[in-house]
Amino acid sequence: MKLLLIILLSCTWELLQSIIAMYVLLVNCKNIKEVQRYNLSIVFILKKGSIYGLSLGRFIFIHEKKINNDDTKKHEYGHGLQSLMLWIFYLFIIGIPSLCNQNIRNEKIYFSKYPENWADKLGNVKRKY
């Protein structure tokens, strides 16, 4: 039943995010170490590359260096919930600001800024700084 819901959401409400996720998946297909399921999302663990955490609809991409930290998975799942709430506007309201924050090297500052702080809240991430 959950798999059906994932497919339905991916092919309708989150279609644009899913199309972009399929492109990211194709580009990284030889780079996938493992595939997991986390709640209503599919998590791809990547062996190398510049993606440390990326959420596009029901698809989450996490670098293997970050997967041992459960907060990363929860945080990216929080972005997935934002995607459910914001529909096609997710890419503009969350995606662009999140990409703009990528050059912030201080994690405390990064996760205190919008939209990262909202993703942490939705994913139930309790950061200890």
Side-chain angles (χ1 to χ4, degrees), residues 16-128:
L16 186 55
Q17 290 93 306
S18 296
I19 290 169
I20 296 169
M22 290 302 111
Y23 173 75
V24 173
L25 187 59
L26 285 171
V27 168
N28 288 285
C29 64
K30 292 183 180 177
N31 193 23
I32 296 170
K33 179 180 181 179
E34 184 181 344
V35 179
Q36 302 174 355
R37 199 171 91 199
Y38 184 76
N39 292 332
L40 291 178
S41 294
I42 299 167
V43 180
F44 297 94
I45 312 302
L46 304 176
K47 295 183 274 193
K48 58 184 177 180
S50 60
I51 296 174
Y52 282 94
L54 175 66
S55 180
L56 291 160
R58 302 299 87 222
F59 303 94
I60 296 173
F61 301 88
I62 301 176
H63 195 284
E64 69 180 346
K65 290 180 181 176
K66 295 285 186 177
I67 197 61
N68 291 334
N69 180 353
D70 198 43
D71 284 349
T72 303
K73 202 183 292 185
K74 289 179 181 179
H75 173 82
E76 293 304 327
Y77 185 73
H79 280 308
L81 294 175
Q82 290 169 329
S83 176
L84 280 174
M85 290 180 217
L86 298 171
W87 184 45
I88 197 168
F89 303 108
Y90 168 80
L91 296 170
F92 305 101
I93 296 171
I94 303 300
I96 291 171
S98 188
L99 283 173
C100 291
N101 289 339
Q102 290 299 308
N103 58 354
I104 299 173
R105 298 292 174 222
N106 183 315
E107 281 193 8
K108 185 177 182 179
I109 294 170
Y110 176 79
F111 288 110
S112 68
K113 295 179 95 39
Y114 172 85
E116 309 311 327
N117 54 0
W118 185 24
D120 273 358
K121 185 176 179 180
L122 291 173
N124 200 27
V125 177
K126 309 285 188 236
R127 299 211 183 263
K128 297 173 182 115

